[in-house]
């Protein structure tokens, strides 16, 4: 009785005290009975949910207000966005069992109504969270990284689905292509912006018109149809610069190796390091032949035969061979346009012999373009290696962060999804800094492990409940119908404990943002 009475007082204090802030990094346990206090102090049980602490520390309610997010249902918009941001973890069994009075009680209708709203500026909210993630980064040699990924999607009623070439599969597939801009540095990677790209092949049209053709989602749908991927990247980089996010370099693979991207780097004062295709783009080289200056315009293959073949040099400390060629490139898109010659450094690279080959093939080389002629081969390769961070992000987003996993046929939900996946990644990045984790994946595993611990506790409670019920049955002759009341009271207190442990009660979320 004393244990139940003590626990009852604790639960009442938690749920009824209006001025108590529940998101303290250290849970106050002085009023809790001994067994509960021991459980709260156990290592690995994160009673103050990591993301609930972040929600308060970042001030997301204020950020949402600045973005113009407003509620339409009876639920405060910050509670709905909290659930949407964390639904991947909120669907755990422990929550389904113990948090029926918590956020899951709002129902799917509220969540999908929010996803399908055409007026919410998810891009602005994403930008705000990304800036929070970058606030603790001190790296100087940061780089804007751009790339795209294809998410295969099926369904005749899904608007904006089209045919895309998937580089990983080497063939065309039906799905959605996401163009992403991120900032990479030695301290980590932060996704800054994303856009959906709709190709011109096998496009599935809208099933119904937008409620307002001037809405944010309607405008972005038209952009997805009309703009090229380099144009989207240019808009994203300029938005990032206007938001005060700075970088020194612009990195991209061969699918973005074009004059458009090089012009963009010139206009934004970024050093471009791009992997280039072996296409017909001409580079101008100048050399003395018998005392006379001779200029030639050669494509990548011709330049390789002229200046690189049989002239490879070993890169210090690397398992590569390389050859640098300084050249000029005319950025004019058409022969009739005024010439715009810029100096570039071309780095031809080939790998070492692997186990499957006895010698390096004549086509086993790649070429990188750098707009800073002062960088060495090692420096160019080291900086370009930062581009790999966006590949890691895509893998994490697809496998663990719910990228385009929401079950909705509304184009607005697709826009929300690409930004929500990035927001989840940014929250993990901030949590990684707070918790001292080694990687984003390790931070995610900690969160999932915490949910697993609480889920195990839920299963263990069922065993204890059966033991307690059996013990009370022996007292039925004395207690009579009071036994039922005792069990109901115990269940209510356990429910209270687990809801509070996961920080899912709506009142908690409201209090933490005051």
């Amino acid at each position: 009785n004393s244990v139940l009475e003590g626990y009852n007082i604790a639960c009442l204090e938690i749920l009824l005290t209006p001025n108590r802030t529940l998101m303290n990094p250290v849970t106050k346990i002085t009023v809790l009975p001994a067994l509960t206090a021991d459980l709260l102090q156990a290592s690995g049980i994160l009673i103050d949910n990591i993301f609930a602490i972040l929600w308060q520390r970042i001030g997301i309610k204020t950020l949402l207000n600045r973005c113009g997010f407003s509620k339409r249902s009876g639920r405060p918009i910050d509670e709905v966005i909290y659930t949407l941001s964390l639904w991947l973890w909120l669907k755990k069994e422990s929550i389904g069992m113990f948090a029926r009075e918590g956020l899951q009680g709002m129902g799917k209708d509220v969540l999908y109504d929010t996803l399908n709203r055409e007026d919410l500026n998810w891009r602005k909210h994403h930008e705000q969270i990304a800036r929070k993630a970058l606030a603790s980064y001190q790296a100087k040699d940061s780089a804007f990284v751009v790339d795209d990924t294809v998410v295969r999607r099926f369904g005749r009623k899904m608007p904006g689905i089209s045919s895309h070439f998937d580089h990983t599969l080497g063939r065309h597939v039906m799905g959605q292509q996401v163009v992403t801009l991120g900032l990479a540095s030695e301290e980590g990677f932060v996704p800054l912006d994303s856009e959906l790209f709709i190709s011109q092949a096998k496009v599935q049209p809208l099933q119904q018109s937008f409620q307002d053709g001037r809405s944010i989602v309607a405008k972005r749908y038209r952009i997805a149809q009309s703009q090229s991927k380099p144009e989207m990247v240019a808009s994203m980089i300029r938005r990032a610069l206007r938001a005060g996010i700075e970088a020194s370099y612009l990195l991209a693979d061969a699918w973005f190796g074009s004059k458009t991207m090089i012009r963009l780097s010139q206009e934004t004062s970024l050093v471009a390091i791009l992997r280039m295709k072996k296409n017909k783009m001409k580079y101008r080289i100048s050399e003395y032949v018998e005392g006379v200056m001779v200029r030639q315009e050669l494509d990548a293959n011709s330049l390789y035969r002229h200046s690189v073949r049989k002239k490879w040099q070993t890169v210090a400390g690397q398992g590569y061979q390389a050859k640098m060629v300084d050249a000029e490139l005319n950025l004019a898109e058409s022969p009739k346009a005024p010439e715009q010659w810029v100096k570039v450094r071309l780095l031809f690279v080939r790998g070492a012999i692997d186990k499957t080959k006895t010698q390096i093939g004549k086509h086993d080389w790649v070429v990188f373009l750098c707009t800073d002629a002062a960088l060495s081969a090692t420096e160019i390769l080291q900086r370009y290696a930062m581009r790999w961070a966006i590949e890691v992000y895509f893998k994490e987003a697809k496998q663990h962060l719910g990228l385009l996993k929401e079950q909705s046929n509304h184009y607005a939900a697709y826009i929300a999804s690409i930004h929500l996946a990035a927001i989840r990644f940014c929250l993990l990045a901030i949590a990684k800094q707070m918790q001292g984790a080694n990687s984003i994946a390790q931070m995610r595993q900690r969160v999932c492990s915490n949910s697993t611990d609480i889920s195990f506790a839920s299963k263990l409670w069922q065993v204890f409940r059966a033991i307690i019920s059996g013990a009370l049955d022996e007292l039925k002759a004395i207690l009579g119908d009071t036994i039922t009341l005792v069990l109901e009271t115990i269940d209510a207190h356990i429910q209270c404990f687990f809801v509070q442990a996961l920080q899912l009660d709506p009142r908690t979320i409201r209090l933490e943002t005051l």
Side-chain angles (χ1 to χ4, degrees):
N1 290 337
S2 61
V3 172
L4 290 177
E5 182 179 358
Y7 195 82
N8 184 43
I9 294 173
C11 290
L12 286 175
E13 182 182 0
I14 289 171
L15 296 177
L16 300 180
T17 303
N19 296 321
R20 179 175 176 180
T21 301
L22 298 177
M23 291 300 129
N24 293 331
V26 179
T27 301
K28 296 179 180 180
I29 58 176
T30 55
V31 299
L32 299 180
L35 291 177
T36 306
D38 292 342
L39 178 59
L40 293 181
Q41 291 176 326
S43 61
I45 303 296
L46 304 179
I47 297 303
D48 284 327
N49 181 276
I50 293 173
F51 292 109
I53 298 173
L54 285 178
W55 210 255
Q56 178 189 26
R57 185 170 298 183
I58 296 173
I60 293 185
K61 183 177 181 179
T62 301
L63 299 182
L64 290 171
N65 290 334
R66 291 175 182 173
C67 294
F69 280 58
S70 59
K71 71 175 183 178
R72 285 186 177 176
S73 64
R75 290 281 184 171
I77 189 65
D78 56 307
E79 291 182 13
V80 180
I81 301 302
Y82 183 90
T83 308
L84 287 174
S85 300
L86 304 180
W87 69 268
L88 290 171
W89 294 284
L90 294 182
K91 66 181 182 179
K92 293 291 182 181
E93 179 186 352
S94 59
I95 299 170
M97 183 178 299
F98 292 103
R100 298 185 184 92
E101 302 299 326
L103 290 177
Q104 291 213 347
M106 71 175 59
K108 291 184 178 180
D109 290 344
V110 174
L111 301 180
Y112 278 102
D113 285 346
T114 303
L115 284 175
N116 295 341
R117 284 178 59 175
E118 301 174 12
D119 63 320
L120 296 182
N121 194 344
W122 287 103
R123 168 176 278 144
K124 184 64 176 178
H125 183 47
H126 173 187
E127 176 193 291
Q128 291 175 332
I129 303 299
R131 290 176 64 185
K132 294 288 185 179
L134 291 171
S136 59
Y137 284 11
Q138 303 295 328
K140 295 180 179 179
D141 290 336
S142 57
F144 286 131
V145 184
V146 296
D147 203 354
D148 60 61
T149 188
V150 176
V151 179
R152 299 183 67 183
R153 303 298 295 275
F154 304 97
R156 296 180 180 179
K157 295 183 179 180
M158 301 183 73
I161 305 300
S162 58
S163 178
H164 300 280
F165 184 80
D166 191 331
H167 344 299
T168 58
L169 298 177
R171 59 186 176 87
H172 285 83
V173 298
M174 290 297 292
Q176 292 172 297
Q177 191 167 54
V178 185
V179 182
T180 296
L181 169 71
L183 189 78
S185 68
E186 292 181 356
E187 296 191 34
F189 177 82
V190 175
L192 302 177
D193 202 349
S194 291
E195 191 70 89
L196 288 171
F197 173 75
I198 301 175
S199 73
Q200 302 300 313
K202 301 180 181 179
V203 183
Q204 295 185 180
L206 292 172
Q207 295 297 311
Q208 57 183 3
S209 301
F210 293 110
Q211 296 176 359
D212 184 354
R214 299 168 296 177
S215 67
I216 294 173
V217 171
K219 291 177 182 177
R220 293 189 64 170
Y221 179 73
R222 290 192 289 270
I223 289 173
Q225 289 182 306
S226 60
Q227 285 191 357
S228 65
K229 288 187 285 186
E231 288 173 332
M232 291 178 177
V233 170
S235 297
M236 288 191 282
I237 288 179
R238 291 192 172 97
R239 274 193 297 269
L241 292 173
R242 287 196 298 269
I245 300 173
E246 299 180 352
S248 302
Y249 302 93
L250 173 60
L251 311 178
D253 63 12
W255 299 99
F256 289 90
S258 65
K259 292 183 178 181
T260 303
M261 294 295 293
I262 300 171
R263 274 199 304 272
L264 174 63
S265 70
Q266 299 287 304
E267 294 167 0
T268 54
S269 300
L270 297 169
V271 175
I273 302 179
L274 312 173
R275 182 166 170 173
M276 306 299 291
K277 291 183 178 180
K278 303 174 187 178
N279 54 19
K280 297 301 180 181
M281 185 184 295
K282 296 293 181 67
Y283 305 93
R284 187 171 70 182
I285 60 171
S286 302
E287 57 185 349
Y288 284 98
V289 179
E290 297 181 354
V292 178
M293 174 66 72
V294 177
R295 289 180 172 176
Q296 299 183 71
E297 293 188 22
L298 305 172
D299 61 29
N301 286 294
S302 300
L303 190 56
Y304 166 76
R305 291 190 294 269
H306 180 274
S307 303
V308 178
R309 187 175 57 182
K310 297 182 180 181
K311 299 178 182 178
W312 292 105
Q313 300 170 350
T314 302
V315 180
Q318 302 291 333
Y320 307 106
Q321 292 180 319
K323 175 65 178 177
M324 285 195 299
V325 178
D326 290 327
E328 294 177 301
L329 178 64
N330 181 13
L331 297 182
E333 286 289 355
S334 66
K336 296 182 180 180
E339 294 183 347
Q340 304 175 42
W341 291 98
V342 295
K343 294 182 179 180
V344 296
R345 171 159 283 187
L346 300 174
L347 176 63
F348 292 79
V349 180
R350 69 175 183 177
I353 300 173
D354 61 26
K355 297 179 181 180
T356 62
K357 294 184 177 181
T358 57
Q359 62 181 3
I360 301 174
K362 62 180 180 179
H363 299 296
D364 295 341
W365 56 271
V366 297
V367 59
F368 298 93
L369 180 147
C370 178
T371 56
D372 185 353
L375 292 182
S376 66
T378 301
E379 290 172 328
I380 291 173
L381 292 175
Q382 286 177 344
R383 283 157 178 75
Y384 184 80
M386 290 193 295
R387 194 203 69 82
W388 182 249
I390 200 169
E391 301 286 359
V392 176
Y393 164 69
F394 284 148
K395 181 178 180 181
E396 188 77 13
K398 288 180 177 180
Q399 295 184 1
H400 304 291
L401 302 181
L403 180 64
L404 294 172
K405 298 294 186 183
E406 286 80 1
Q407 299 299 314
S408 174
N409 291 332
H410 199 296
Y411 192 79
Y414 307 153
I415 295 295
S417 181
I418 61 176
H419 290 296
L420 279 168
I423 288 170
R424 292 170 189 134
F425 190 93
C426 290
L427 290 174
L428 286 172
I430 299 172
K432 178 177 78 74
Q433 296 289 95
M434 288 174 51
Q435 299 286 322
N438 294 325
S439 66
I440 296 293
Q442 185 184 74
M443 191 65 246
R444 171 178 49 75
Q445 289 167 0
R446 285 187 185 180
V447 174
C448 294
S449 176
N450 179 58
S451 296
T452 302
D453 290 341
I454 298 176
S455 182
F456 175 74
S458 73
K459 293 179 173 63
L460 193 60
W461 161 243
Q462 300 303 315
V463 177
F464 288 149
R465 188 186 188 282
I467 296 173
I468 293 171
S469 178
L472 290 175
D473 282 343
E474 297 181 5
L475 300 175
K476 190 170 185 179
I478 301 174
L479 299 177
D481 294 337
T482 308
I483 291 177
T484 303
L485 178 60
V486 170
L487 282 176
E488 290 176 352
T489 303
I490 292 174
D491 284 336
H493 293 324
I494 295 298
Q495 165 77 12
C496 169
F497 168 75
F498 278 100
V499 170
Q500 175 60 15
L502 292 167
Q503 299 291 345
L504 296 179
D505 53 294
R507 180 174 179 78
T508 295
I509 296 173
R510 286 195 293 270
L511 287 175
E512 72 186 13
T513 54
L514 293 177

